[in-house]
Amino acid sequence: LAWCYRDSNQPQKAIESFNKAEEVEPGFGYAYSNLGDLYQRLKQPENAVAAYQKALEIRPDNYDVYGFRYPSYMELNNFVQAKADIEEYSKHRKLSSLDVYNLGVCYYFMKDFTSAKREYVKAIDLDNNNSWAHLESGIMSLFFCDINEASKEI
């Protein structure tokens, strides 16, 4: 029922329904995972992180939650925790080009520009159509004063 409310743009009823699911079946971590997704869609990253954390407390082996949670940490400018989530997620799932690109973004904001550049290149290797990775990789090349490399990427 919660998904129906979510998909019919009734977020408050969806939240109530996800919370009710946990009351009816304690330990149903997927309710919290879906609640985190809903909060993320509603641009409430603090609530999303809290819901995802609760999902992991109930089901620590639900590694997908790390992949769901890291964008909320990025919205909160907590790039250290976002990076940790991406790295934990990568131990159990294959990262997409977007995930790898976001890892590069985390490194960038952590001022580790060499690692940021490395991750942008990896993201391009996974999907040559990732225009953001090309752009950021080119910017990093300019940062490192490699004009020839930057001209290929931007």
Side-chain angles (χ1 to χ4, degrees):
L1 185 59
W3 290 290
C4 293
Y5 287 132
R6 181 192 68 191
D7 295 341
S8 65
N9 202 25
Q10 298 180 61
Q12 192 53 47
K13 286 186 177 183
I15 290 168
E16 291 168 10
S17 187
F18 281 129
N19 286 327
K20 185 71 172 172
E22 177 56 30
E23 288 175 25
V24 171
E25 189 177 336
F28 185 57
Y30 293 108
Y32 284 107
S33 180
N34 284 292
L35 185 58
D37 176 62
L38 179 60
Y39 282 130
Q40 196 166 328
R41 291 177 186 206
L42 294 172
K43 303 292 184 208
Q44 297 178 20
E46 296 92 353
N47 290 335
V49 166
Y52 288 134
Q53 183 59 38
K54 190 74 169 168
L56 283 171
E57 289 169 10
I58 294 168
R59 292 272 324 269
D61 63 338
N62 186 359
Y63 304 112
D64 291 329
V65 171
Y66 293 101
F68 301 148
R69 184 174 66 175
Y70 82 77
S72 294
Y73 278 125
M74 291 180 78
E75 278 190 58
L76 294 168
N77 293 321
N78 186 342
F79 297 101
V80 172
Q81 189 57 55
K83 175 184 162 289
D85 275 9
I86 295 169
E87 290 173 339
E88 185 62 31
Y89 182 65
S90 74
K91 293 176 186 175
H92 309 281
R93 305 286 187 264
K94 183 177 182 198
L95 296 181
S96 70
S97 178
L98 178 62
D99 295 327
V100 175
Y101 166 78
N102 282 327
L103 184 56
V105 171
C106 291
Y107 280 118
Y108 176 84
F109 282 104
M110 294 166 57
K111 305 211 181 316
D112 182 349
F113 302 120
T114 301
S115 296
K117 170 71 174 172
R118 180 191 65 233
E119 297 306 322
Y120 296 145
V121 170
K122 285 182 188 176
I124 293 166
D125 288 344
L126 288 170
D127 178 5
N128 194 43
N129 293 319
N130 186 331
S131 58
W132 285 106
H134 279 284
L135 177 64
E136 297 296 341
S137 181
I139 291 169
M140 289 289 89
S141 293
L142 287 174
F143 179 79
F144 292 122
C145 298
D146 187 345
I147 303 293
N148 290 330
E149 187 66 23
S151 67
K152 295 177 198 171
E153 297 169 328
I154 297 179

